[in-house]
Amino acid sequence: QSTWGRMSDLLTVVDVRNLSSSSEEVKSRAAQQINSAITSTGVFYVTGHSLTTARMNEMKATAREFFDLDESIKEEIPIKPGGFTRGYVGIGGESGSHRLECKEAFSYGYEWPVDVPPTNRLQGPNVWPREEVLGLEWRAKMNQFYEDMVDLARNVVRGLSLALGFPENHLLDQCTEGNTISLLRLFRYFPVQQIDSSIGSPGQEKIGSSPHTDWGFLTLVCV
């Protein structure tokens, strides 16, 4: 049995198309599913969206193009301290615990215009590889995937509003311009046995990702 088959037996599966139904009964049933999920496991699968398996596989391939670059090129765009998470972090570059996290990441978000001053420290321009490295078409694919994820997030948030007994736009009205501070993070995880012993401290415990709580209001994970 596939991982999807095993996990979908355990977790609620919500078809988000039902949240846009003209039938209030269908909407209500989807909202009840979400309510049951968030008050029990706290997580659920979403289906019925535009991000097909083929689209997600395309995005994974696009991400792989970045991670396959030479380390020196990726290190030209490091994430800087201060809370504005854009750019690259290498193996051991971040951790939510004392452990060495065996992963690398690239983070980006809303394509903020370079000539517009941000209004808070979570806004600002993305940090991309040099144009001659991956090209503008690669960047356009990344931006389109971000917009698709934002659209899906808005739909899920409508469902959360209904699940909590509010009008469907209640939470969205509290999240104006949320798309400008949202974040899309791409990760590549490595088997701990493959990590060079020179990385991290001698004898340091290794892990893929330390237990943590995301800082955002909603987390969507591509599986």
Side-chain angles (χ1 to χ4, degrees):
Q1 190 179 18
S2 68
T3 301
W4 160 254
R6 291 194 301 270
M7 294 304 293
S8 61
D9 287 342
L10 300 174
L11 299 177
T12 300
V13 179
V14 178
D15 187 334
V16 292
R17 289 172 296 193
N18 293 334
L19 297 171
S20 303
S21 173
S22 58
S23 166
E24 292 301 318
E25 181 182 353
V26 171
K27 272 188 184 180
S28 176
R29 192 158 52 243
Q32 288 170 9
Q33 282 185 294
I34 294 173
N35 182 279
S36 175
I38 62 178
T39 55
S40 55
T41 59
V43 63
F44 55 93
Y45 279 110
V46 292
T47 61
H49 47 75
S50 64
L51 295 165
T52 62
T53 299
R55 274 283 281 125
M56 289 192 284
N57 286 340
E58 178 189 17
M59 186 57 201
K60 290 174 184 176
T62 304
R64 205 169 292 118
E65 289 183 66
F66 173 80
F67 288 126
D68 286 345
L69 293 173
D70 188 89
E71 197 70 20
S72 62
I73 296 176
K74 293 182 285 190
E75 289 177 348
E76 291 176 352
I77 51 171
I79 289 177
K80 297 178 180 178
F84 183 65
T85 309
R86 299 291 189 278
Y88 174 71
V89 60
I91 298 172
E94 67 177 24
S95 180
S97 71
H98 63 281
R99 303 173 180 91
L100 176 73
E101 297 192 356
C102 304
K103 68 182 184 185
E104 59 179 345
F106 177 73
S107 303
Y108 72 108
Y110 179 76
E111 189 73 320
W112 190 270
V114 293
D115 57 344
V116 176
T119 58
N120 68 65
R121 67 187 184 90
L122 296 179
Q123 295 173 328
N126 287 314
V127 180
W128 299 106
R130 287 178 281 115
E131 184 180 330
E132 62 269 24
V133 174
L134 289 174
L136 293 180
E137 183 180 350
W138 179 86
R139 191 181 303 183
K141 287 181 182 179
M142 298 284 277
N143 281 328
Q144 184 57 58
F145 188 70
Y146 177 78
E147 293 300 326
D148 291 344
M149 289 296 286
V150 168
D151 287 344
L152 175 55
R154 287 192 175 113
N155 207 4
V156 172
V157 170
R158 289 188 186 96
L160 289 171
S161 290
L162 293 171
L164 294 171
F166 295 116
E168 63 181 277
N169 287 322
H170 176 77
L171 292 176
L172 283 178
D173 290 342
Q174 317 304 313
C175 302
T176 55
E177 298 188 343
N179 62 314
T180 69
I181 64 170
S182 296
L183 189 64
L184 201 156
R185 305 202 75 190
L186 308 174
F187 291 102
R188 178 161 69 171
Y189 293 90
F190 298 88
V192 296
Q193 300 87 348
Q194 290 184 9
I195 303 302
D196 193 290
S197 59
S198 65
I199 301 175
S201 306
Q204 185 177 12
E205 183 182 352
K206 299 179 176 65
I207 195 171
S209 182
S210 302
H212 64 280
T213 299
D214 288 355
W215 61 265
F217 162 62
L218 174 70
T219 298
L220 299 179
V221 181
C222 173
V223 296

